Amino acid sequence: IQKLCDRVASSTLLDDRRDAVRALKSLSKKYRLEVGIQAMEHLIHVLQTDRSDSEIIGYALDTLYNVISNDLEEEEQEENSAKQVDDLGSQFTEIFIKQQENVTLLLTLVEEFDFHVRWPGVKLLTSLLKQQGPQVQQIILVSPMGVSRLMDLLADSREVIRNDGVLLLQQLTKSNAAIQKIVAFENAFERLLDIITEEGNSDGGIVVEDCLLLLQNLLKNNNSNQNFFKEGSYIQRMKPWFEVGDDNCGWSAQKVTNLHLMLQLVRVLVSPTNPPGATSSCQKAMFLCGLLQQLCTILMATGVPADILTETINTVSEVIRGCQTNQDYFASVNAPSNPPRPAIVVLLMSMVNERQPFVLRCAVLYCFQCFLYKNQKGQGEIVSTLLPSTIDATGNSVSAGQLLCGGLFSTDSLSNWCAAVALAHALQENGTLKEQLLRVQLATSIGNPPVSLLQQCTNILSQGSKVQTRVGLLMLLCTWLSNCSIAVTHFLHNPANVPFLTGQIAENLGEEEQLVQGLCALLLGISIYYNDNSLENYRKEKLKQLIEKRIGRENFIEKLGFISKHELYSRAAQKPQPSFSSPDHMMFDHEFTKLVKELEGVISKAIYKSSEEDKKEEEVKKTLEQHDNIVTHYKKVIREQDQELEELKQRINSLTSQNEQLQATVTQQVSQIQQHKDQYNLLKVQLGKDTQHHNSHGDTLQMNGIQTEEVSKLKEELEEWKNKHELLQGQLKEKDSVIEKLNSSQLEMGATEQSLQTSRYGGLEHSNELQKELEMLRSQIQLQSAEISKLQMENQKLQVMNTAADPMLGDSGATAATSSELEARLEQEIKELKSQVKALSEEKESLKQQLDSSTSTVAILQDKNSRLEREVAESKKEQDDLLVLLADQDQKISAQKMKLKDFGVAVEDEDDTESGDQGDEDEDGDEEEQD
């Protein structure tokens, strides 16, 4: 090795150096330590100086990979020397990355397209990241375009390099949010999903698995990348992953692994630990693209492997958790059985079946909890299946409620615990259902009367069953009684319950029973804190005295603290999903740990409070309730006023638009009237022209040899038409005057209406002022009445004193006279005030009458206005008729002209005035008489 290293360092010929590096490569697998110690520096120097020769660079990279990587050694070494191997690889990596330029040089070599350089470079960089991940990540992050250069590996057409590039990016993105973001924004999602599709989705090989692991690295606990994944519509591309056929037998191990990772990737996007807004948007997207429906299909499919079915149930749980739309859809899913059963019922049957695998039962419980989380509708549907009115008497179908009750009272302690927790989730933060569940009656055995569900739970508790069963029932009772005074009253009504709890708490038992003691203390504390003192024997104060005598306050608080100190409590508080290593560890529910955290402190305070403090607290609560009621009332009033205001605004807007329409109509009518006038004037001018032409050419008739009789007849007819024209003209003038009168009357009416409105408003204001004065007078009368009653009392006292006094005293007469004088004066003032009030009321009545009369006047005027509008319409119609007549007249005149032309009379078309036409006509008449 030493000779080879010397040759690499000192040989001038490239071939010699290449041979030496090749020899070192062959020795590096067997003599890893020696080659690493002696040759690393020379190999790095080769990488720096001989970049032009790809072959020597490839040998050097392979040699470094063999020295640094633990993969080959792990295959050969035994387990006991694994730690030594790890240390060796880590030490060589540390030596290599000590100079950051070495990593930068390696990134440059990875850019080379030559297969013999690029592939060993990728493998070496991956090995470095495995040995010293955070340090190498930091060097790559600060090097220019470091991450972007590595992203190009995914686009390499050679599958070996692309696949090893995926492995490299897996190591690069581990636990480094900054690099994860850069990789995501370098279009990693698009490329990885394309690779998964090309490889055949879940049917693909190990490459699909590697891509899915890289996607998990990019998305897990990285809110920015999750949002980018959702916004880029990549959730929709996940749907084809979960398409399964009818025959699901014989799945390969790789397919099971791929599908498992795909389901985990969905869970990463909707994990309860993510921000609520991000989770909610992903849940909605999964429903809209049909991904949830696809998962439910797998859930109800036959032949699906057990571990895939379990993971699918967990995935569906988190997709529907807290999302009302998804929860409603899940409630509607039916299993493909005959008759069809709801999926929830089928899952609950698995949960209470002790032959089912433990992990599957845990998954079903989680699914049921997620279905009920923040879902009051779903909670109501579950509880309704227990109520007497809704239970199916025929027994054809099993309901969710019946399965839960069956599990609650079965012999299997795990079924008891699961059913109790499931039922507790149906009551979570829902006071109405807690009260309704008190109505549930159970038939225990034939011949015995039915027992309430609450009573049956306490009966089983007192029978000393398994610890797991008792813990489950106590959790159910604590959830049921918390924040529900009626349930507390029902619980305390059974005289055996309180002695049982105090007996359990007071005993000194083993470690297993300490948990039960703590839960009994919590239940008793809830019975005190939420007690409304409706039962005389179990009032708050009496229960506190009982604890003081039987248990002792300090001892009670200590037993209460057993719950939160328990190891299983801490595990359950970490995340919502129930994950237990064995059935024996199944003790606490996540939601119940929240309840304990909330109540532990307040119960401890309540135990030490005195009765006076309790009373004060109750008074404060009542005051707060009253205040809340007042606030609610005012909110309601404000809402109603807002609604009225909105309606009035709409009404104003509609009236304004109507007003604008009416004004537009009036403007249109005025323009039409003007148009009609113009048409009339035009016709009048045309008629004047025709008359002129007839008169100017009358004297040429004889010259053309026309008989005078025919001409005189035509003239007479023309005279008749002229008379008719004048008559029509007069009628038109009358109609014009009528139209003008109507227009003026409309304007007057508008002014009258305005004045009436102002007078009405003025009257209203005046009546309001009078109302105020009347109120002031009434208040004065009340004050004076109070003074009168006071004086009358004094008067009575004086009279009593007078009668009791010595008759020798002579002042009694004077006192009586004074009091009678006061009474008379007061009566006089009262009469005056009454007369004033009467006068004011009369004045008010007269104002009301005036207001009514003005209202009726307005109505009359409005009626008159509508009548005038009808007359205007009629006049328009008559005017149209006149225009038609004028048109007819014009036609007849033109016909007369034609006749005149036939007789050979020339008709001129010059424009002359009407007076000139009339003069010519008179001259023509004189000439005819002379003739």
Side-chain angles (χ1 to χ4, degrees):
I1 292 167
Q2 183 62 48
K3 284 180 182 177
L4 291 169
C5 289
D6 291 342
R7 196 187 297 174
V8 170
S10 60
S11 293
T12 54
L13 290 173
L14 182 61
D15 291 342
D16 290 343
R17 291 201 303 276
R18 189 189 303 130
D19 292 339
V21 173
R22 187 191 297 119
L24 283 171
K25 176 191 167 186
S26 60
L27 289 167
S28 62
K29 290 182 182 178
K30 192 171 183 181
Y31 302 102
R32 178 183 174 196
L33 181 62
E34 292 79 3
V35 173
I37 290 169
Q38 295 179 48
M40 184 175 281
E41 192 178 339
H42 300 297
L43 293 168
I44 293 169
H45 184 70
V46 167
L47 294 178
Q48 290 169 345
T49 55
D50 291 327
R51 286 184 60 184
S52 58
D53 186 65
S54 60
E55 198 173 348
I56 193 171
I57 295 289
Y59 292 145
L61 289 170
D62 280 331
T63 310
L64 286 168
Y65 172 72
N66 292 340
V67 168
I68 288 169
S69 174
N70 291 325
D71 297 345
L72 299 170
E73 290 285 343
E74 282 171 2
E75 292 172 9
E76 298 166 8
Q77 296 283 342
E78 296 178 0
E79 286 184 9
N80 56 5
S81 62
K83 189 176 180 185
Q84 185 186 350
V85 170
D86 285 345
D87 288 345
L88 194 60
S90 182
Q91 285 166 8
F92 282 132
T93 304
E94 203 169 334
I95 293 165
F96 185 84
I97 66 171
K98 207 168 203 178
Q99 298 294 325
Q100 292 190 10
E101 296 82 6
N102 295 340
V103 179
T104 311
L105 175 64
L106 194 54
L107 288 171
T108 311
L109 292 170
V110 166
E111 274 191 293
E112 295 287 337
F113 186 73
D114 193 310
F115 181 81
H116 296 291
V117 176
R118 197 171 208 185
W119 187 41
V122 169
K123 289 198 294 180
L124 177 58
L125 194 52
T126 307
S127 187
L128 291 172
L129 283 161
K130 279 183 183 176
Q131 302 299 335
Q132 296 285 342
Q135 292 88 330
V136 180
Q137 283 175 341
Q138 200 58 37
I139 295 167
I140 293 171
L141 194 59
V142 296
S143 68
M145 298 292 289
V147 178
S148 301
R149 284 188 252 181
L150 297 177
M151 282 301 298
D152 293 337
L153 296 170
L154 294 180
D156 200 304
S157 57
R158 295 159 294 193
E159 286 193 6
V160 174
I161 293 176
R162 184 198 70 184
N163 298 345
D164 278 353
V166 172
L167 294 173
L168 169 60
L169 289 169
Q170 269 185 36
Q171 297 299 325
L172 182 66
T173 55
K174 269 185 182 175
S175 309
N176 192 313
I179 292 177
Q180 287 166 5
K181 286 180 186 176
I182 295 168
V183 171
F185 282 97
E186 289 283 346
N187 209 18
F189 294 137
E190 185 79 33
R191 294 182 188 180
L192 290 170
L193 291 169
D194 286 343
I195 293 169
I196 291 169
T197 308
E198 286 168 19
E199 294 290 325
N201 294 328
S202 60
D203 294 317
I206 196 164
V207 179
V208 172
E209 181 184 339
D210 292 335
C211 288
L212 290 167
L213 287 168
L214 177 52
L215 283 169
Q216 276 195 23
N217 281 359
L218 294 173
L219 292 170
K220 200 166 188 178
N221 301 323
N222 194 319
N223 301 329
S224 169
N225 281 4
Q226 286 173 8
N227 191 48
F228 181 64
F229 192 83
K230 180 185 71 69
E231 295 295 334
S233 302
Y234 296 119
I235 289 175
Q236 287 81 334
R237 293 186 62 177
M238 296 167 79
K239 186 191 171 187
W241 296 354
F242 304 104
E243 288 174 358
V244 294
D246 297 329
D247 183 21
N248 297 308
C249 300
W251 283 11
S252 66
Q254 187 61 55
K255 177 164 183 171
V256 171
T257 305
N258 289 348
L259 209 50
H260 203 274
L261 288 169
M262 286 168 175
L263 290 165
Q264 284 183 346
L265 197 63
V266 174
R267 290 184 68 185
V268 163
L269 294 168
V270 291
S271 171
T273 56
N274 293 347
T279 301
S280 175
S281 59
C282 286
Q283 286 172 331
K284 287 174 185 171
M286 286 175 185
F287 175 74
L288 291 172
C289 75
L291 181 57
L292 174 60
Q293 294 84 327
Q294 206 70 48
L295 291 171
C296 289
T297 307
I298 297 174
L299 200 66
M300 293 292 114
T302 53
V304 177
D307 54 344
I308 293 296
L309 182 61
T310 304
E311 191 62 25
T312 305
I313 293 169
N314 286 326
T315 308
V316 169
S317 307
E318 292 183 354
V319 173
I320 66 171
R321 187 177 189 268
C323 179
Q324 188 67 56
T325 311
N326 294 6
Q327 287 166 337
D328 290 344
Y329 170 75
F330 184 68
S332 68
V333 175
N334 284 324
S337 58
N338 193 16
R341 282 178 175 162
I344 295 168
V345 173
V346 174
L347 290 172
L348 286 176
M349 288 168 81
S350 302
M351 188 184 77
V352 297
N353 184 353
E354 54 189 301
R355 289 192 294 275
Q356 292 289 347
F358 173 64
V359 286
L360 180 67
R361 295 173 78 179
C362 288
V364 172
L365 175 63
Y366 184 45
C367 188
F368 192 71
Q369 290 173 353
C370 291
F371 169 64
L372 297 177
Y373 183 70
K374 292 185 179 178
N375 182 10
Q376 294 201 345
K377 182 183 173 186
Q379 287 176 323
E381 287 170 359
I382 297 297
V383 172
S384 68
T385 59
L386 284 161
L387 299 176
S389 58
T390 55
I391 291 173
D392 186 7
T394 58
N396 290 334
S397 61
V398 181
S399 68
Q402 288 168 322
L403 286 168
L404 289 175
C405 279
L408 200 59
F409 308 123
S410 75
T411 53
D412 176 33
S413 62
L414 192 60
S415 295
N416 300 155
W417 191 91
C418 289
V421 169
L423 202 53
H425 275 262
L427 303 175
Q428 203 81 40
E429 298 178 3
N430 200 324
T432 311
L433 295 181
K434 288 177 183 178
E435 292 175 19
Q436 285 187 5
L437 203 64
L438 296 168
R439 293 166 45 206
V440 176
Q441 300 288 320
L442 303 171
T444 51
S445 58
I446 299 166
N448 292 333
V451 180
S452 72
L453 178 61
L454 186 68
Q455 182 64 45
Q456 186 65 13
C457 289
T458 53
N459 290 347
I460 293 169
L461 203 57
S462 59
Q463 286 168 9
S465 49
K466 289 182 183 177
V467 173
Q468 195 174 38
T469 302
R470 282 182 288 160
V471 167
L473 288 168
L474 283 165
M475 284 198 295
L476 171 60
L477 289 170
C478 288
T479 308
W480 195 346
L481 268 59
S482 65
N483 220 356
C484 184
S485 302
I486 298 169
V488 171
T489 307
H490 275 72
F491 178 75
L492 295 174
H493 199 270
N494 185 350
N497 288 342
V498 173
F500 167 72
L501 292 177
T502 51
Q504 285 284 313
I505 300 163
E507 286 181 24
N508 289 320
L509 302 167
E511 278 190 20
E512 284 189 359
E513 293 293 329
Q514 281 185 349
L515 194 54
V516 176
Q517 284 184 314
L519 289 167
C520 286
L522 181 67
L523 186 58
L524 188 57
I526 288 169
S527 302
I528 293 168
Y529 186 70
Y530 292 107
N531 193 340
D532 60 357
N533 294 327
S534 55
L535 293 174
E536 187 60 37
N537 294 335
Y538 296 106
R539 295 172 68 84
K540 282 185 182 181
E541 199 57 41
K542 290 191 176 181
L543 288 172
K544 286 181 195 175
Q545 289 170 4
L546 188 69
I547 288 171
E548 183 66 36
K549 286 178 184 176
R550 297 272 178 88
I551 305 163
R553 287 181 185 175
E554 289 78 10
N555 192 22
F556 179 85
I557 299 299
E558 185 187 349
K559 296 286 172 75
L560 185 63
F562 284 162
I563 303 171
S564 55
K565 289 173 186 172
H566 203 284
E567 183 190 352
L568 298 174
Y569 173 90
S570 304
R571 281 190 205 167
Q574 288 171 5
K575 57 180 181 177
Q577 185 183 356
S579 54
F580 306 100
S581 54
S582 70
D584 297 333
H585 292 160
M586 208 169 190
M587 288 291 175
F588 283 109
D589 170 54
H590 178 75
E591 290 298 323
F592 181 73
T593 61
K594 291 183 183 176
L595 183 70
V596 172
K597 202 179 286 184
E598 182 188 330
L599 293 176
E600 193 175 7
V602 294
I603 287 171
S604 302
K605 286 179 185 176
I607 296 299
Y608 284 103
K609 272 183 187 173
S610 63
S611 57
E612 290 178 1
E613 287 175 341
D614 282 338
K615 283 178 184 175
K616 283 180 183 177
E617 194 174 327
E618 284 178 10
E619 286 174 6
V620 169
K621 278 183 182 176
K622 285 179 182 175
T623 309
L624 286 170
E625 284 177 7
Q626 288 174 356
H627 177 70
D628 288 343
N629 291 335
I630 291 165
V631 169
T632 310
H633 171 69
Y634 278 118
K635 279 181 180 176
K636 188 180 176 184
V637 169
I638 290 164
R639 205 177 293 113
E640 288 173 357
Q641 287 178 347
D642 285 343
Q643 196 174 349
E644 287 176 8
L645 196 63
E646 197 61 38
E647 288 174 0
L648 287 168
K649 281 180 180 176
Q650 289 175 359
R651 197 172 166 191
I652 286 165
N653 290 334
S654 65
L655 288 169
T656 308
S657 61
Q658 283 180 11
N659 185 26
E660 288 172 357
Q661 287 175 2
L662 289 169
Q663 283 179 351
T665 309
V666 167
T667 310
Q668 192 179 353
Q669 286 178 352
V670 167
S671 65
Q672 284 177 357
I673 290 166
Q674 188 61 43
Q675 195 177 352
H676 291 322
K677 280 183 178 178
D678 294 341
Q679 287 176 358
Y680 166 69
N681 290 330
L682 189 64
L683 288 168
K684 192 165 69 173
V685 170
Q686 285 178 355
L687 193 63
K689 285 178 186 177
D690 294 340
T691 310
Q692 180 190 358
H693 295 321
H694 288 305
N695 292 335
S696 61
H697 297 286
D699 54 352
T700 58
L701 292 174
Q702 285 181 352
M703 287 161 42
N704 293 325
I706 297 168
Q707 293 180 3
T708 54
E709 291 177 4
E710 290 180 1
V711 172
S712 62
K713 281 180 183 178
L714 286 170
K715 283 186 177 182
E716 285 172 8
E717 285 180 9
L718 196 59
E719 283 292 327
E720 285 176 10
W721 285 117
K722 280 180 74 177
N723 292 334
K724 283 181 183 179
H725 174 262
E726 287 171 1
L727 185 64
L728 288 169
Q729 196 173 352
Q731 287 178 356
L732 272 172
K733 283 179 181 177
E734 286 174 11
K735 295 299 177 186
D736 284 340
S737 63
V738 169
I739 286 164
E740 286 172 5
K741 282 179 186 176
L742 286 170
N743 283 330
S744 61
S745 65
Q746 277 185 338
L747 292 169
E748 286 172 7
M749 279 187 64
T752 311
E753 281 183 9
Q754 286 179 357
S755 63
L756 282 168
Q757 282 177 355
T758 52
S759 66
R760 190 192 303 175
Y761 293 142
L764 284 169
E765 288 174 4
H766 188 52
S767 64
N768 288 334
E769 288 174 8
L770 288 174
Q771 281 286 114
K772 288 178 184 175
E773 287 179 14
L774 191 61
E775 290 296 327
M776 287 172 63
L777 287 170
R778 279 177 181 162
S779 61
Q780 287 177 9
I781 289 165
Q782 285 175 357
L783 290 167
Q784 287 181 356
S785 300
E787 287 178 9
I788 290 162
S789 59
K790 188 176 177 184
L791 289 168
Q792 283 176 347
M793 289 291 290
E794 288 178 4
N795 184 21
Q796 286 175 1
K797 284 181 184 177
L798 287 169
Q799 284 177 359
V800 170
M801 287 168 66
N802 285 335
T803 51
D806 188 22
M808 295 294 291
L809 296 168
D811 296 337
S812 60
T815 306
T818 307
S819 63
S820 61
E821 190 178 340
L822 281 167
E823 282 180 8
R825 194 173 64 195
L826 286 167
E827 284 175 5
Q828 182 65 31
E829 285 180 5
I830 288 163
K831 283 178 183 176
E832 287 175 2
L833 287 167
K834 283 181 178 178
S835 61
Q836 286 177 9
V837 168
K838 190 176 179 184
L840 284 167
S841 61
E842 285 173 359
E843 192 174 349
K844 184 183 172 185
E845 287 297 324
S846 66
L847 279 169
K848 279 185 180 177
Q849 287 174 2
Q850 286 176 13
L851 196 62
D852 293 340
S853 64
S854 65
T855 308
S856 62
T857 310
V858 168
I860 291 162
L861 287 167
Q862 285 176 346
D863 186 33
K864 190 174 180 182
N865 185 24
S866 61
R867 194 166 64 245
L868 286 167
E869 285 176 354
R870 284 198 300 273
E871 287 178 6
V872 168
E874 288 172 5
S875 69
K876 281 180 187 173
K877 191 178 176 184
E878 288 177 6
Q879 194 174 14
D880 291 339
D881 294 341
L882 285 169
L883 288 168
V884 171
L885 285 171
L886 283 169
D888 291 343
Q889 186 183 5
D890 191 25
Q891 287 176 359
K892 287 179 181 177
I893 288 168
S894 61
Q896 293 291 335
K897 281 181 184 178
M898 291 299 292
K899 281 184 183 180
L900 287 168
K901 283 180 181 178
D902 291 342
F903 287 126
V905 180
V907 180
E908 292 182 2
D909 291 333
E910 286 111 20
D911 293 335
D912 293 321
T913 58
E914 199 173 339
S915 59
D917 291 345
Q918 187 65 38
D920 292 341
E921 187 181 342
D922 292 339
E923 288 172 8
D924 291 340
D926 293 339
E927 286 174 5
E928 282 173 8
E929 283 173 8
Q930 288 171 5
D931 292 337

